[in-house]
Amino acid sequence: MKVLMCVPNVSEGRDQAKVDRLADLVRQQPGVKLIDLSADADHNRSVYSYLGEPQAVLAATKAFAEVVLETVDMTTHSGSHPRHGALDTVPFIPVGETTTEEAVAVAREFGRFIGDKGIPVYYYEDAATRPDRVSLVDVRKGEYEALQEKLKDPAWAPDEGPATFVPKTGAVQVAARFPLVAFNVNLRTDDRAIATRIAHAVRHINGGFRFVRAIGLELTGTGMVQVSMNLTNYTQTPIPRVMEAIRSEAARYGVLVAGSELVGPVPLGAIEEVVRHYLQIHDFSMSQTIEMNV
Amino acid sequence: MKVLMCVPNVSEGRDQAKVDRLADLVRQQPGVKLIDLSADADHNRSVYSYLGEPQAVLAATKAFAEVVLETVDMTTHSGSHPRHGALDTVPFIPVGETTTEEAVAVAREFGRFIGDKGIPVYYYEDAATRPDRVSLVDVRKGEYEALQEKLKDPAWAPDEGPATFVPKTGAVQVAARFPLVAFNVNLRTDDRAIATRIAHAVRHINGGFRFVRAIGLELTGTGMVQVSMNLTNYTQTPIPRVMEAIRSEAARYGVLVAGSELVGPVPLGAIEEVVRHYLQIHDFSMSQTIEMNV
């Protein structure tokens, strides 16, 4: 089955009524299912996860975008999370049999729809039009506050829409990307330095696994610390390999893993690899389960 | 959702046309899905796995039984697998939200249907009417060849139907039972004695885990041996606990696990426990996967 997931990030996380209205809007879209919603007042940002057939998701996202662009005002926005616009990021994520190319095609169609409204659009990740726009961090550098100047720079001409600063909406970042796995490992110590050292050992930027981003955190009040990670490609850098690397690094300090967590929707393929690794069932597929055959 | 699985074992595994006709019959039953079929000429036996809502599965199994009892003749049957009748065993297995009690109710209704045809029925496992009939091994002792004498013994009065030997059909064994997990672990040695010793270490009968049945086998031509198991209650004796016990026992002989396999349909809950154990995600549920939300 062809399924596409969309995870728009909206620059509104304090007005609960507004957040809820957007969730209801998604629920009302035909052929689309809202599977996760998280709003954060400190970040002043909300994240919606929904899925369905690609064309249904595209139509739903257009309807969603129109309401966000009309009701969220960047001129009065503040929050601790980096952002470039009211509808800050719109990643389309292939699920099941959907290919990256198909996700890119939907992302581009959505980008043109936004551009046609006179709002600047940048493509990133697999939808990027040039190498210096692949990383969202690069695209969003300077944030909303720097956008007006940035749009005057020909190097930052938008991928869709005019090079015009629209104060109310800012710019929209549109991507196709592999599903992220948010994976956190808790350690039985209150020494945050150990979590930080292990995060550095496993993350790409410091020489670790190619598709791992990681930081060390303190879990206040629990006596534990956490290695908090995003695995950006779970097929190339699978969960068990990261888990065992952390276990081994922690053992150097005489520390054991207390537990771990997967945050938000996880691709089935990431779980299959856990079973393949630990049970050494080299060809395990979840289609072997009774429930997947109901 | 209420789902019931039925896994009838039929005493015919050599006449492929007959095996195929029975599979087609299952496929034609409304609301029922055939998910597995294995026929073995040496055993002269075929095993069908299908599922659906409980009443649909009951109706399908009645239709299936009528054809089996009409077309499979025990008077000419031979095969290496223990058997008591043409429709040898009919276990009903609760899946998802279905309870054991509901599976027992369906098993009893099916048993009465067979008994009304004048064919003796024995209930076993969770459908058993007395402790000495819980084990199929006990119920089937002496096999088809001893059935005529057995039926004369008041201790072996059938649970349904008359105490009359029907040469063509023999007796039908009907159960409700927990889903079995068929789990095999391959060891990197050609010494079958090691597989046998490990099988003895983990299986219930010799002092091992309560819900493990195991034997040691040689995997001819591979240079490996196998601990071949049935886990009869994967919630009480979960896969990872057995896997790690085997790994530890094998290490005593300087032998490593080469791989493992899950044979046939596996309950989702058994897989969830693998993830919980190895990743130490104490509350992991497969409902967290993207695909389970489609």
Side-chain angles (χ1 to χ4, degrees), chain B residues 15-27 37 48:
Chain B
D15 183 341
Q16 192 61 43
K18 215 180 258 187
V19 170
D20 289 344
R21 273 200 303 276
L22 283 168
D24 284 341
L25 178 75
V26 173
R27 287 191 192 97
L37 162 59
Y48 304 76

Side-chain angles (χ1 to χ4, degrees), chain A residues 2-5 31-33 50-57 98, chain B residues 294:
Chain A
K2 298 272 187 200
V3 175
L4 193 65
M5 183 158 78
V32 160
K33 192 169 165 192
Y50 51 84
L51 45 73
E53 287 190 45
Q55 286 306 311
V57 168
T98 306
Chain B
V294 170

